[in-house]
Short mmCIF file of all heavy atoms in Angstrom, two decimals:
data_model
loop_
_atom_site.label_atom_id
_atom_site.label_comp_id
_atom_site.label_asym_id
_atom_site.label_seq_id
_atom_site.Cartn_x
_atom_site.Cartn_y
_atom_site.Cartn_z
N ARG A 20 -17.67 25.90 -7.53
CA ARG A 20 -18.92 25.62 -8.24
C ARG A 20 -20.09 26.10 -7.39
O ARG A 20 -20.19 25.74 -6.22
CB ARG A 20 -19.06 24.12 -8.48
CG ARG A 20 -20.35 23.72 -9.16
CD ARG A 20 -20.26 23.98 -10.64
NE ARG A 20 -21.55 23.88 -11.27
CZ ARG A 20 -21.73 23.86 -12.58
NH1 ARG A 20 -20.70 23.91 -13.39
NH2 ARG A 20 -22.91 23.79 -13.11
N ARG A 56 -18.22 14.78 -11.01
CA ARG A 56 -18.81 15.21 -12.29
C ARG A 56 -17.89 16.21 -13.01
O ARG A 56 -17.87 16.26 -14.23
CB ARG A 56 -20.20 15.82 -12.06
CG ARG A 56 -21.21 14.78 -11.60
CD ARG A 56 -22.55 15.40 -11.30
NE ARG A 56 -23.35 15.45 -12.50
CZ ARG A 56 -24.16 14.48 -12.93
NH1 ARG A 56 -24.26 13.37 -12.24
NH2 ARG A 56 -24.84 14.60 -14.03
N GLY A 60 -16.04 15.74 -16.72
CA GLY A 60 -16.42 16.74 -17.72
C GLY A 60 -17.92 16.99 -17.79
O GLY A 60 -18.39 17.66 -18.71
N MET A 61 -18.67 16.46 -16.84
CA MET A 61 -20.12 16.68 -16.88
C MET A 61 -20.48 18.04 -16.28
O MET A 61 -21.60 18.51 -16.43
CB MET A 61 -20.84 15.56 -16.14
CG MET A 61 -20.79 14.25 -16.92
SD MET A 61 -20.85 12.81 -15.89
CE MET A 61 -22.55 12.78 -15.47
N PHE A 62 -19.56 18.61 -15.55
CA PHE A 62 -19.69 20.00 -15.11
C PHE A 62 -18.48 20.77 -15.63
O PHE A 62 -17.36 20.25 -15.60
CB PHE A 62 -19.72 20.11 -13.58
CG PHE A 62 -21.04 19.76 -12.96
CD1 PHE A 62 -21.09 19.17 -11.70
CD2 PHE A 62 -22.24 20.01 -13.60
CE1 PHE A 62 -22.30 18.85 -11.11
CE2 PHE A 62 -23.46 19.69 -13.03
CZ PHE A 62 -23.49 19.10 -11.78
N LYS A 63 -18.76 21.97 -16.09
CA LYS A 63 -17.68 22.83 -16.57
C LYS A 63 -17.25 23.71 -15.39
O LYS A 63 -18.12 24.26 -14.70
CB LYS A 63 -18.23 23.69 -17.72
CG LYS A 63 -17.17 24.33 -18.53
CD LYS A 63 -17.62 24.66 -19.94
CE LYS A 63 -18.92 25.44 -20.01
NZ LYS A 63 -19.25 25.83 -21.38
N VAL A 77 -13.65 18.65 -20.46
CA VAL A 77 -14.75 19.28 -21.22
C VAL A 77 -14.34 19.45 -22.68
O VAL A 77 -15.11 19.16 -23.59
CB VAL A 77 -15.13 20.64 -20.59
CG1 VAL A 77 -16.12 21.39 -21.48
CG2 VAL A 77 -15.72 20.43 -19.20
N PRO A 80 -13.38 15.27 -24.43
CA PRO A 80 -14.06 14.14 -23.77
C PRO A 80 -13.57 12.78 -24.28
O PRO A 80 -13.51 11.82 -23.50
CB PRO A 80 -15.54 14.36 -24.13
CG PRO A 80 -15.58 15.32 -25.24
CD PRO A 80 -14.32 16.11 -25.18
N VAL A 81 -13.19 12.72 -25.55
CA VAL A 81 -12.76 11.42 -26.09
C VAL A 81 -11.45 11.00 -25.43
O VAL A 81 -11.30 9.86 -24.99
CB VAL A 81 -12.59 11.51 -27.63
CG1 VAL A 81 -12.15 10.19 -28.20
CG2 VAL A 81 -13.90 11.95 -28.27
N LEU A 84 -12.42 10.42 -21.43
CA LEU A 84 -13.39 9.38 -21.07
C LEU A 84 -13.01 8.01 -21.63
O LEU A 84 -13.41 6.98 -21.09
CB LEU A 84 -14.79 9.78 -21.56
CG LEU A 84 -15.37 11.02 -20.87
CD1 LEU A 84 -16.67 11.46 -21.54
CD2 LEU A 84 -15.62 10.76 -19.39
N GLY A 85 -12.22 8.00 -22.71
CA GLY A 85 -11.78 6.72 -23.28
C GLY A 85 -10.84 5.96 -22.35
O GLY A 85 -10.65 4.77 -22.51
N TYR A 89 -16.41 4.35 -15.42
CA TYR A 89 -17.19 5.12 -14.43
C TYR A 89 -18.46 4.37 -14.04
O TYR A 89 -19.17 3.86 -14.90
CB TYR A 89 -17.55 6.47 -15.06
CG TYR A 89 -18.55 7.30 -14.26
CD1 TYR A 89 -18.29 7.64 -12.93
CD2 TYR A 89 -19.74 7.75 -14.83
CE1 TYR A 89 -19.20 8.40 -12.22
CE2 TYR A 89 -20.64 8.50 -14.12
CZ TYR A 89 -20.37 8.83 -12.80
OH TYR A 89 -21.26 9.58 -12.09
N SER A 91 -21.81 5.28 -11.99
CA SER A 91 -22.47 6.44 -11.37
C SER A 91 -23.24 6.01 -10.12
O SER A 91 -23.59 4.84 -9.96
CB SER A 91 -23.41 7.10 -12.36
OG SER A 91 -24.49 6.26 -12.66
N ASP A 93 -26.27 6.69 -9.28
CA ASP A 93 -27.63 6.20 -9.50
C ASP A 93 -27.69 5.08 -10.52
O ASP A 93 -28.76 4.71 -10.99
CB ASP A 93 -28.57 7.36 -9.89
CG ASP A 93 -28.09 8.10 -11.12
OD1 ASP A 93 -27.21 7.56 -11.79
OD2 ASP A 93 -28.59 9.19 -11.39
N ARG A 94 -26.54 4.53 -10.86
CA ARG A 94 -26.48 3.35 -11.75
C ARG A 94 -27.20 3.61 -13.05
O ARG A 94 -28.02 2.80 -13.50
CB ARG A 94 -27.08 2.10 -11.09
CG ARG A 94 -26.73 1.90 -9.65
CD ARG A 94 -25.26 1.56 -9.50
NE ARG A 94 -24.94 1.27 -8.12
CZ ARG A 94 -24.03 1.94 -7.42
NH1 ARG A 94 -23.37 2.94 -7.97
NH2 ARG A 94 -23.75 1.60 -6.18
N ASP A 95 -26.95 4.75 -13.62
CA ASP A 95 -27.66 5.14 -14.84
C ASP A 95 -27.22 4.27 -16.01
O ASP A 95 -26.07 4.33 -16.43
CB ASP A 95 -27.37 6.62 -15.12
CG ASP A 95 -28.20 7.15 -16.26
OD1 ASP A 95 -29.40 6.84 -16.30
OD2 ASP A 95 -27.65 7.84 -17.12
N LEU A 96 -28.14 3.49 -16.52
CA LEU A 96 -27.88 2.62 -17.67
C LEU A 96 -29.12 2.66 -18.57
O LEU A 96 -30.22 2.91 -18.09
CB LEU A 96 -27.65 1.17 -17.22
CG LEU A 96 -26.41 0.89 -16.36
CD1 LEU A 96 -26.47 -0.55 -15.84
CD2 LEU A 96 -25.14 1.10 -17.14
N PRO A 97 -28.95 2.39 -19.85
CA PRO A 97 -30.14 2.39 -20.72
C PRO A 97 -31.04 1.19 -20.42
O PRO A 97 -30.66 0.05 -20.67
CB PRO A 97 -29.56 2.32 -22.13
CG PRO A 97 -28.16 1.92 -21.99
CD PRO A 97 -27.71 2.20 -20.60
N ASP A 98 -32.20 1.47 -19.88
CA ASP A 98 -33.08 0.41 -19.40
C ASP A 98 -33.60 -0.51 -20.50
O ASP A 98 -33.95 -1.65 -20.25
CB ASP A 98 -34.28 1.04 -18.67
CG ASP A 98 -33.93 1.41 -17.26
OD1 ASP A 98 -32.94 0.88 -16.75
OD2 ASP A 98 -34.65 2.24 -16.66
N TRP A 99 -33.71 0.03 -21.71
CA TRP A 99 -34.34 -0.77 -22.76
C TRP A 99 -33.42 -1.86 -23.30
O TRP A 99 -33.86 -2.75 -24.00
CB TRP A 99 -34.81 0.13 -23.90
CG TRP A 99 -33.72 0.97 -24.48
CD1 TRP A 99 -33.33 2.21 -24.05
CD2 TRP A 99 -32.87 0.64 -25.58
NE1 TRP A 99 -32.28 2.66 -24.82
CE2 TRP A 99 -31.99 1.73 -25.77
CE3 TRP A 99 -32.77 -0.46 -26.43
CZ2 TRP A 99 -31.02 1.74 -26.77
CZ3 TRP A 99 -31.80 -0.45 -27.42
CH2 TRP A 99 -30.95 0.64 -27.58
N MET A 100 -32.15 -1.79 -22.96
CA MET A 100 -31.21 -2.78 -23.50
C MET A 100 -31.25 -4.07 -22.68
O MET A 100 -31.66 -4.07 -21.52
CB MET A 100 -29.79 -2.23 -23.44
CG MET A 100 -29.46 -1.22 -24.50
SD MET A 100 -27.69 -0.88 -24.43
CE MET A 100 -27.61 0.59 -25.42
N ARG A 101 -30.76 -5.13 -23.30
CA ARG A 101 -30.47 -6.34 -22.55
C ARG A 101 -28.98 -6.28 -22.17
O ARG A 101 -28.23 -5.51 -22.77
CB ARG A 101 -30.77 -7.58 -23.39
CG ARG A 101 -32.25 -7.73 -23.61
CD ARG A 101 -32.60 -8.89 -24.49
NE ARG A 101 -34.02 -8.79 -24.81
CZ ARG A 101 -35.02 -9.18 -24.04
NH1 ARG A 101 -34.75 -9.74 -22.87
NH2 ARG A 101 -36.28 -9.03 -24.39
N HIS A 103 -26.49 -8.25 -22.71
CA HIS A 103 -25.50 -8.53 -23.77
C HIS A 103 -25.46 -7.38 -24.78
O HIS A 103 -24.42 -7.10 -25.37
CB HIS A 103 -25.80 -9.87 -24.46
CG HIS A 103 -26.99 -9.85 -25.37
ND1 HIS A 103 -26.89 -9.60 -26.71
CD2 HIS A 103 -28.30 -10.04 -25.13
CE1 HIS A 103 -28.09 -9.65 -27.26
NE2 HIS A 103 -28.97 -9.91 -26.31
N GLN A 104 -26.58 -6.70 -24.95
CA GLN A 104 -26.60 -5.53 -25.85
C GLN A 104 -25.79 -4.39 -25.25
O GLN A 104 -25.06 -3.69 -25.95
CB GLN A 104 -28.04 -5.07 -26.09
CG GLN A 104 -28.86 -6.07 -26.88
CD GLN A 104 -30.32 -5.64 -27.00
OE1 GLN A 104 -30.85 -4.96 -26.12
NE2 GLN A 104 -30.97 -6.07 -28.06
N LEU A 105 -25.93 -4.24 -23.95
CA LEU A 105 -25.18 -3.20 -23.25
C LEU A 105 -23.68 -3.44 -23.42
O LEU A 105 -22.91 -2.50 -23.67
CB LEU A 105 -25.58 -3.21 -21.76
CG LEU A 105 -24.83 -2.26 -20.86
CD1 LEU A 105 -25.19 -0.81 -21.16
CD2 LEU A 105 -25.14 -2.55 -19.39
N ARG A 107 -22.21 -5.17 -25.84
CA ARG A 107 -21.81 -4.99 -27.24
C ARG A 107 -21.77 -3.50 -27.61
O ARG A 107 -20.88 -3.06 -28.31
CB ARG A 107 -22.80 -5.72 -28.15
CG ARG A 107 -22.34 -5.74 -29.58
CD ARG A 107 -23.16 -6.66 -30.42
NE ARG A 107 -22.96 -8.04 -30.06
CZ ARG A 107 -23.69 -9.04 -30.53
NH1 ARG A 107 -24.66 -8.80 -31.35
NH2 ARG A 107 -23.44 -10.28 -30.17
N TYR A 108 -22.76 -2.77 -27.11
CA TYR A 108 -22.79 -1.33 -27.38
C TYR A 108 -21.55 -0.66 -26.78
O TYR A 108 -20.86 0.11 -27.44
CB TYR A 108 -24.07 -0.75 -26.79
CG TYR A 108 -24.12 0.76 -26.75
CD1 TYR A 108 -24.33 1.50 -27.90
CD2 TYR A 108 -23.95 1.43 -25.55
CE1 TYR A 108 -24.38 2.89 -27.85
CE2 TYR A 108 -24.00 2.81 -25.49
CZ TYR A 108 -24.21 3.53 -26.64
OH TYR A 108 -24.26 4.90 -26.60
N GLN A 110 -18.73 -1.92 -26.00
CA GLN A 110 -17.50 -2.40 -26.64
C GLN A 110 -17.07 -1.48 -27.79
O GLN A 110 -15.88 -1.27 -28.01
CB GLN A 110 -17.76 -3.81 -27.17
CG GLN A 110 -16.55 -4.48 -27.78
CD GLN A 110 -16.88 -5.90 -28.27
OE1 GLN A 110 -18.02 -6.36 -28.14
NE2 GLN A 110 -15.89 -6.58 -28.79
N ALA A 111 -18.06 -0.92 -28.49
CA ALA A 111 -17.76 -0.10 -29.67
C ALA A 111 -16.97 1.16 -29.33
O ALA A 111 -16.33 1.75 -30.19
CB ALA A 111 -19.06 0.27 -30.38
N PHE A 112 -17.05 1.57 -28.07
CA PHE A 112 -16.44 2.85 -27.70
C PHE A 112 -15.00 2.72 -27.23
O PHE A 112 -14.31 3.71 -27.08
CB PHE A 112 -17.27 3.51 -26.59
CG PHE A 112 -18.61 3.98 -27.08
CD1 PHE A 112 -19.68 3.12 -27.15
CD2 PHE A 112 -18.78 5.29 -27.52
CE1 PHE A 112 -20.91 3.54 -27.62
CE2 PHE A 112 -19.99 5.71 -28.00
CZ PHE A 112 -21.07 4.84 -28.05
N TYR A 113 -14.59 1.50 -26.94
CA TYR A 113 -13.27 1.33 -26.32
C TYR A 113 -12.41 0.38 -27.15
O TYR A 113 -12.69 -0.83 -27.19
CB TYR A 113 -13.42 0.80 -24.90
CG TYR A 113 -14.27 1.68 -24.02
CD1 TYR A 113 -15.61 1.38 -23.78
CD2 TYR A 113 -13.74 2.83 -23.45
CE1 TYR A 113 -16.41 2.20 -22.99
CE2 TYR A 113 -14.53 3.65 -22.65
CZ TYR A 113 -15.86 3.32 -22.42
OH TYR A 113 -16.64 4.14 -21.64
N ARG A 144 -27.80 -4.23 -11.16
CA ARG A 144 -27.57 -3.06 -11.98
C ARG A 144 -26.17 -2.49 -11.72
O ARG A 144 -25.46 -2.12 -12.65
CB ARG A 144 -28.62 -2.02 -11.58
CG ARG A 144 -29.07 -1.14 -12.66
CD ARG A 144 -30.08 -0.18 -12.11
NE ARG A 144 -30.21 0.87 -13.07
CZ ARG A 144 -31.02 0.84 -14.12
NH1 ARG A 144 -31.84 -0.16 -14.30
NH2 ARG A 144 -31.05 1.82 -14.97
N GLU B 228 -37.82 -11.89 -30.58
CA GLU B 228 -36.53 -11.96 -29.88
C GLU B 228 -35.60 -12.93 -30.58
O GLU B 228 -34.41 -12.69 -30.71
CB GLU B 228 -36.77 -12.43 -28.44
CG GLU B 228 -37.49 -11.42 -27.57
CD GLU B 228 -36.60 -10.24 -27.24
OE1 GLU B 228 -35.43 -10.46 -26.94
OE2 GLU B 228 -37.08 -9.09 -27.31
N ILE B 236 -29.54 -6.32 -34.47
CA ILE B 236 -28.22 -6.27 -33.85
C ILE B 236 -27.34 -7.30 -34.55
O ILE B 236 -27.58 -8.50 -34.45
CB ILE B 236 -28.27 -6.66 -32.36
CG1 ILE B 236 -29.40 -5.94 -31.68
CG2 ILE B 236 -26.96 -6.38 -31.69
CD1 ILE B 236 -29.67 -6.51 -30.33
N PRO B 237 -26.37 -6.86 -35.29
CA PRO B 237 -25.51 -7.83 -35.96
C PRO B 237 -24.76 -8.66 -34.92
O PRO B 237 -24.47 -8.19 -33.82
CB PRO B 237 -24.57 -6.93 -36.77
CG PRO B 237 -24.65 -5.60 -36.15
CD PRO B 237 -25.98 -5.49 -35.50
N ASP B 238 -24.44 -9.91 -35.29
CA ASP B 238 -23.71 -10.77 -34.36
C ASP B 238 -22.28 -10.27 -34.15
O ASP B 238 -21.69 -10.48 -33.12
CB ASP B 238 -23.69 -12.21 -34.89
CG ASP B 238 -25.03 -12.88 -34.66
OD1 ASP B 238 -25.72 -12.45 -33.71
OD2 ASP B 238 -25.40 -13.77 -35.42
N PHE B 241 -20.03 -3.94 -33.26
CA PHE B 241 -20.25 -2.75 -34.10
C PHE B 241 -18.93 -2.32 -34.72
O PHE B 241 -17.88 -2.38 -34.06
CB PHE B 241 -20.82 -1.61 -33.26
CG PHE B 241 -22.22 -1.85 -32.81
CD1 PHE B 241 -22.50 -2.14 -31.49
CD2 PHE B 241 -23.27 -1.81 -33.71
CE1 PHE B 241 -23.80 -2.37 -31.07
CE2 PHE B 241 -24.58 -2.04 -33.29
CZ PHE B 241 -24.83 -2.32 -31.98
N SER B 243 -18.00 0.60 -35.62
CA SER B 243 -17.48 1.86 -35.10
C SER B 243 -18.41 2.36 -34.01
O SER B 243 -19.54 1.88 -33.88
CB SER B 243 -17.41 2.90 -36.22
OG SER B 243 -18.72 3.13 -36.69
N LEU B 244 -17.93 3.33 -33.27
CA LEU B 244 -18.80 3.89 -32.25
C LEU B 244 -19.97 4.66 -32.88
O LEU B 244 -21.05 4.74 -32.30
CB LEU B 244 -18.02 4.75 -31.25
CG LEU B 244 -17.35 6.03 -31.70
CD1 LEU B 244 -18.29 7.21 -31.54
CD2 LEU B 244 -16.12 6.28 -30.85
N ALA B 247 -22.57 2.10 -33.50
CA ALA B 247 -23.18 1.73 -32.21
C ALA B 247 -24.16 2.80 -31.75
O ALA B 247 -25.27 2.52 -31.30
CB ALA B 247 -22.10 1.52 -31.16
N GLN B 248 -23.74 4.05 -31.91
CA GLN B 248 -24.60 5.13 -31.41
C GLN B 248 -25.85 5.29 -32.27
O GLN B 248 -26.92 5.60 -31.77
CB GLN B 248 -23.81 6.45 -31.34
CG GLN B 248 -24.49 7.54 -30.53
CD GLN B 248 -24.82 7.09 -29.10
OE1 GLN B 248 -24.10 6.26 -28.52
NE2 GLN B 248 -25.91 7.58 -28.54
N TRP B 250 -27.34 2.87 -33.76
CA TRP B 250 -28.20 1.78 -33.30
C TRP B 250 -28.91 2.18 -32.00
O TRP B 250 -30.11 1.98 -31.84
CB TRP B 250 -27.34 0.52 -33.09
CG TRP B 250 -28.08 -0.58 -32.39
CD1 TRP B 250 -28.97 -1.46 -32.95
CD2 TRP B 250 -28.01 -0.93 -31.01
NE1 TRP B 250 -29.45 -2.32 -31.99
CE2 TRP B 250 -28.87 -2.02 -30.79
CE3 TRP B 250 -27.28 -0.44 -29.92
CZ2 TRP B 250 -29.04 -2.62 -29.55
CZ3 TRP B 250 -27.46 -1.03 -28.69
CH2 TRP B 250 -28.33 -2.11 -28.50
N TYR B 251 -28.14 2.77 -31.12
CA TYR B 251 -28.69 3.21 -29.83
C TYR B 251 -29.82 4.21 -30.05
O TYR B 251 -30.87 4.13 -29.41
CB TYR B 251 -27.57 3.86 -29.01
CG TYR B 251 -27.99 4.34 -27.64
CD1 TYR B 251 -27.67 3.62 -26.50
CD2 TYR B 251 -28.72 5.52 -27.48
CE1 TYR B 251 -28.05 4.05 -25.25
CE2 TYR B 251 -29.11 5.96 -26.23
CZ TYR B 251 -28.77 5.22 -25.12
OH TYR B 251 -29.17 5.66 -23.88
N GLN B 254 -33.09 2.44 -31.86
CA GLN B 254 -33.87 1.43 -31.15
C GLN B 254 -35.06 1.98 -30.37
O GLN B 254 -36.20 1.62 -30.65
CB GLN B 254 -32.95 0.64 -30.21
CG GLN B 254 -32.13 -0.40 -30.92
CD GLN B 254 -32.93 -1.62 -31.31
OE1 GLN B 254 -33.65 -2.16 -30.48
NE2 GLN B 254 -32.83 -2.04 -32.54
N PRO B 255 -34.84 2.83 -29.40
CA PRO B 255 -36.01 3.25 -28.63
C PRO B 255 -36.64 4.53 -29.13
O PRO B 255 -37.72 4.88 -28.73
CB PRO B 255 -35.41 3.47 -27.23
CG PRO B 255 -34.02 3.91 -27.49
CD PRO B 255 -33.60 3.36 -28.81
N THR B 319 -31.14 8.74 -19.97
CA THR B 319 -30.98 7.29 -20.19
C THR B 319 -31.93 6.52 -19.30
O THR B 319 -33.13 6.56 -19.50
CB THR B 319 -29.52 6.86 -19.99
OG1 THR B 319 -28.92 7.68 -19.00
CG2 THR B 319 -28.74 6.97 -21.25
N GLY B 320 -31.41 5.83 -18.32
CA GLY B 320 -32.28 4.90 -17.60
C GLY B 320 -33.01 5.49 -16.42
O GLY B 320 -34.03 4.98 -16.01
N LYS B 321 -32.50 6.59 -15.88
CA LYS B 321 -33.03 7.09 -14.62
C LYS B 321 -34.52 7.39 -14.72
O LYS B 321 -35.29 7.04 -13.85
CB LYS B 321 -32.27 8.36 -14.23
CG LYS B 321 -32.49 8.77 -12.80
CD LYS B 321 -31.45 9.74 -12.34
CE LYS B 321 -31.46 11.03 -13.12
NZ LYS B 321 -30.50 12.01 -12.58
N GLN B 323 -36.78 6.24 -16.90
CA GLN B 323 -37.64 5.08 -17.09
C GLN B 323 -37.69 4.20 -15.85
O GLN B 323 -38.61 3.43 -15.69
CB GLN B 323 -37.17 4.24 -18.27
CG GLN B 323 -37.45 4.90 -19.60
CD GLN B 323 -36.31 5.78 -20.04
OE1 GLN B 323 -35.51 6.25 -19.22
NE2 GLN B 323 -36.23 6.04 -21.33
N ARG B 324 -36.67 4.31 -15.01
CA ARG B 324 -36.67 3.46 -13.84
C ARG B 324 -37.80 3.82 -12.89
O ARG B 324 -38.33 3.00 -12.19
CB ARG B 324 -35.33 3.57 -13.13
CG ARG B 324 -34.94 2.29 -12.51
CD ARG B 324 -33.49 2.10 -12.22
NE ARG B 324 -32.84 3.18 -11.54
CZ ARG B 324 -31.91 3.92 -12.10
NH1 ARG B 324 -31.59 3.73 -13.35
NH2 ARG B 324 -31.30 4.86 -11.43
N ARG B 341 -32.34 16.32 -18.52
CA ARG B 341 -30.90 16.26 -18.35
C ARG B 341 -30.29 15.00 -18.99
O ARG B 341 -30.87 13.93 -18.94
CB ARG B 341 -30.63 16.23 -16.85
CG ARG B 341 -29.23 16.32 -16.49
CD ARG B 341 -29.12 16.10 -15.00
NE ARG B 341 -27.72 16.19 -14.65
CZ ARG B 341 -27.28 16.96 -13.70
NH1 ARG B 341 -28.09 17.65 -12.98
NH2 ARG B 341 -26.02 16.99 -13.42
N GLY B 343 -28.35 11.76 -19.31
CA GLY B 343 -28.03 10.74 -18.32
C GLY B 343 -26.53 10.55 -18.18
O GLY B 343 -25.77 10.78 -19.13
N ASP B 344 -26.11 10.13 -16.99
CA ASP B 344 -24.68 9.94 -16.72
C ASP B 344 -24.07 8.95 -17.70
O ASP B 344 -22.92 9.10 -18.11
CB ASP B 344 -24.48 9.42 -15.29
CG ASP B 344 -24.84 10.47 -14.26
OD1 ASP B 344 -25.10 11.61 -14.65
OD2 ASP B 344 -24.85 10.13 -13.07
N PHE B 345 -24.84 7.93 -18.03
CA PHE B 345 -24.31 6.88 -18.89
C PHE B 345 -23.88 7.45 -20.24
O PHE B 345 -22.76 7.25 -20.70
CB PHE B 345 -25.35 5.77 -19.08
CG PHE B 345 -24.88 4.65 -19.97
CD1 PHE B 345 -24.01 3.69 -19.50
CD2 PHE B 345 -25.31 4.57 -21.29
CE1 PHE B 345 -23.56 2.67 -20.33
CE2 PHE B 345 -24.87 3.56 -22.12
CZ PHE B 345 -23.99 2.60 -21.64
N LEU B 346 -24.79 8.19 -20.86
CA LEU B 346 -24.47 8.75 -22.17
C LEU B 346 -23.40 9.83 -22.07
O LEU B 346 -22.52 9.93 -22.91
CB LEU B 346 -25.73 9.35 -22.81
CG LEU B 346 -26.57 8.41 -23.66
CD1 LEU B 346 -27.71 9.18 -24.30
CD2 LEU B 346 -25.73 7.74 -24.74
N ALA B 347 -23.50 10.64 -21.01
CA ALA B 347 -22.56 11.75 -20.87
C ALA B 347 -21.12 11.28 -20.73
O ALA B 347 -20.20 12.01 -21.06
CB ALA B 347 -22.94 12.61 -19.67
N THR B 348 -20.94 10.04 -20.27
CA THR B 348 -19.58 9.56 -20.05
C THR B 348 -19.12 8.60 -21.14
O THR B 348 -18.11 7.92 -20.97
CB THR B 348 -19.46 8.88 -18.67
OG1 THR B 348 -20.49 7.89 -18.56
CG2 THR B 348 -19.60 9.88 -17.56
N ARG B 349 -19.86 8.51 -22.24
CA ARG B 349 -19.34 7.72 -23.38
C ARG B 349 -18.22 8.55 -24.04
O ARG B 349 -18.38 9.77 -24.20
CB ARG B 349 -20.42 7.45 -24.43
CG ARG B 349 -21.60 6.56 -24.04
CD ARG B 349 -21.21 5.25 -23.43
NE ARG B 349 -21.13 5.39 -21.96
CZ ARG B 349 -20.57 4.49 -21.15
NH1 ARG B 349 -20.02 3.42 -21.64
NH2 ARG B 349 -20.55 4.67 -19.85
N PRO B 350 -17.15 7.87 -24.40
CA PRO B 350 -16.03 8.64 -24.96
C PRO B 350 -16.23 9.00 -26.44
O PRO B 350 -15.58 8.44 -27.32
CB PRO B 350 -14.84 7.69 -24.79
CG PRO B 350 -15.44 6.33 -24.77
CD PRO B 350 -16.81 6.45 -24.23
N PHE B 351 -17.17 9.87 -26.72
CA PHE B 351 -17.27 10.43 -28.06
C PHE B 351 -17.42 11.94 -27.93
O PHE B 351 -17.80 12.46 -26.89
CB PHE B 351 -18.41 9.84 -28.88
CG PHE B 351 -19.75 9.72 -28.21
CD1 PHE B 351 -20.15 10.61 -27.24
CD2 PHE B 351 -20.64 8.72 -28.57
CE1 PHE B 351 -21.39 10.51 -26.65
CE2 PHE B 351 -21.88 8.61 -27.97
CZ PHE B 351 -22.24 9.51 -27.01
N ASP B 352 -17.10 12.63 -29.04
CA ASP B 352 -17.22 14.08 -28.94
C ASP B 352 -18.65 14.50 -29.25
O ASP B 352 -19.46 13.70 -29.73
CB ASP B 352 -16.21 14.80 -29.83
CG ASP B 352 -16.33 14.40 -31.28
OD1 ASP B 352 -17.46 14.41 -31.78
OD2 ASP B 352 -15.32 14.06 -31.91
N ARG B 547 -24.32 18.44 -21.84
CA ARG B 547 -23.35 17.46 -21.32
C ARG B 547 -22.37 18.07 -20.33
O ARG B 547 -21.99 17.43 -19.36
CB ARG B 547 -22.59 16.89 -22.52
CG ARG B 547 -21.75 15.68 -22.22
CD ARG B 547 -21.05 15.24 -23.48
NE ARG B 547 -20.37 13.99 -23.31
CZ ARG B 547 -19.58 13.45 -24.24
NH1 ARG B 547 -19.39 14.07 -25.38
NH2 ARG B 547 -18.97 12.31 -24.03
N HIS B 548 -21.95 19.30 -20.61
CA HIS B 548 -20.96 19.95 -19.73
C HIS B 548 -21.65 21.13 -19.04
O HIS B 548 -21.56 22.25 -19.49
CB HIS B 548 -19.76 20.47 -20.53
CG HIS B 548 -19.26 19.48 -21.54
ND1 HIS B 548 -18.69 18.29 -21.20
CD2 HIS B 548 -19.26 19.50 -22.90
CE1 HIS B 548 -18.35 17.62 -22.29
NE2 HIS B 548 -18.70 18.34 -23.33
N ARG B 549 -22.34 20.86 -17.97
CA ARG B 549 -23.15 21.91 -17.35
C ARG B 549 -22.32 22.83 -16.48
O ARG B 549 -21.30 22.46 -15.99
CB ARG B 549 -24.27 21.27 -16.52
CG ARG B 549 -25.34 20.72 -17.41
CD ARG B 549 -26.37 19.94 -16.68
NE ARG B 549 -27.39 19.53 -17.63
CZ ARG B 549 -28.57 20.11 -17.77
NH1 ARG B 549 -28.92 21.12 -17.04
NH2 ARG B 549 -29.44 19.65 -18.65
#
Side-chain angles (χ1 to χ4, degrees):
Chain A
R20 177 79 192 191
R56 292 177 87 88
M61 289 151 76
F62 282 148
K63 196 156 51 175
V77 171
V81 180
L84 295 172
Y89 171 56
S91 67
D93 57 14
R94 318 292 184 238
D95 187 44
L96 295 172
D98 278 341
W99 57 272
M100 283 189 194
R101 291 177 190 279
H103 73 93
Q104 292 175 331
L105 176 69
R107 188 169 293 171
Y108 169 75
Q110 184 179 1
F112 290 85
Y113 303 99
R144 212 180 165 86
Chain B
E228 291 288 318
I236 314 168
D238 283 334
F241 290 108
S243 63
L244 65 91
Q248 194 56 31
W250 170 79
Y251 181 102
Q254 282 285 311
T319 32
K321 194 163 62 175
Q323 287 90 337
R324 214 159 49 247
R341 186 188 180 129
D344 292 352
F345 179 77
L346 271 184
T348 52
R349 294 309 91 193
F351 46 31
D352 57 49
R547 192 181 188 186
H548 315 294
R549 286 173 177 259

